[in-house]
Amino acid sequence: MNIPVIINKDILNEIYYLARNGFPNEICGWLRGDPTNGNITSIRPAINIYDKKNHPVVNDRTAETAYVISPEDVLELNNELDKTFPPLVIYHSHPNGKAYFSETDRVVATDPWGEGPNYPVQQLVIGVNKEEIVESKLFSWNSKQKDFIEISKYKGARI
């Protein structure tokens, strides 16, 4: 998806509440919206089933520092791609308070050949710590750079 998505304050606060309630673990899910104008219309939380044995890249972490979307959720994500309001953003939190797209995030979100994203979506990372939501940042695939680049930044909240 090349157009920036529009995440209104209510949707953003709902994601922030999910991140706060999931803390200290990473939370994950996706945002559905109108692909013609980028307006986000709903949130679909997913289950983080991270376990050392099921992460495609790292096996030395915990659910506090990694996430794996459950197979049932991944199946639903795939099934929704052709809907009227498909997934436009995959989101996850970083319980260290930093909203950055890590190297692990890049590897997991990119196809095995490094040629593009696994899904035609943008990526939202929420930085949460034990006091607050620090900030969140939206990343989109840049085909020239063959990488995800930051395209939007959102203020945090005391939640």
Side-chain angles (χ1 to χ4, degrees), residues 15-16 19 91-94 98-99 124-128 133 135-136:
I15 299 166
Y16 287 176
Y91 70 83
H92 75 280
S93 63
H94 284 176
K98 299 174 183 172
L124 180 70
V125 182
I126 303 100
V128 57
I133 306 295
E135 66 182 355
S136 59

Side-chain angles (χ1 to χ4, degrees), residues 79-93:
N79 289 336
E80 288 187 7
L81 289 172
D82 293 327
K83 302 276 185 187
T84 303
F85 292 96
L88 299 181
V89 176
I90 291 176
Y91 70 83
H92 75 280
S93 63

Side-chain angles (χ1 to χ4, degrees), residues 14-44:
E14 193 173 334
I15 299 166
Y16 287 176
Y17 279 108
L18 292 169
R20 166 60 50 226
N21 290 332
F23 184 86
N25 292 334
E26 290 196 10
I27 56 120
C28 54
W30 59 90
L31 308 178
R32 299 179 193 102
D34 185 337
T36 63
N37 60 22
N39 282 323
I40 296 300
T41 57
S42 66
I43 297 171
R44 171 46 168 87

Side-chain angles (χ1 to χ4, degrees), residues 22-26 48 50 61-67 93-96:
F23 184 86
N25 292 334
E26 290 196 10
N48 178 1
Y50 176 83
R61 298 187 182 181
T62 67
E64 293 181 21
T65 57
Y67 76 98
S93 63
H94 284 176
N96 64 5

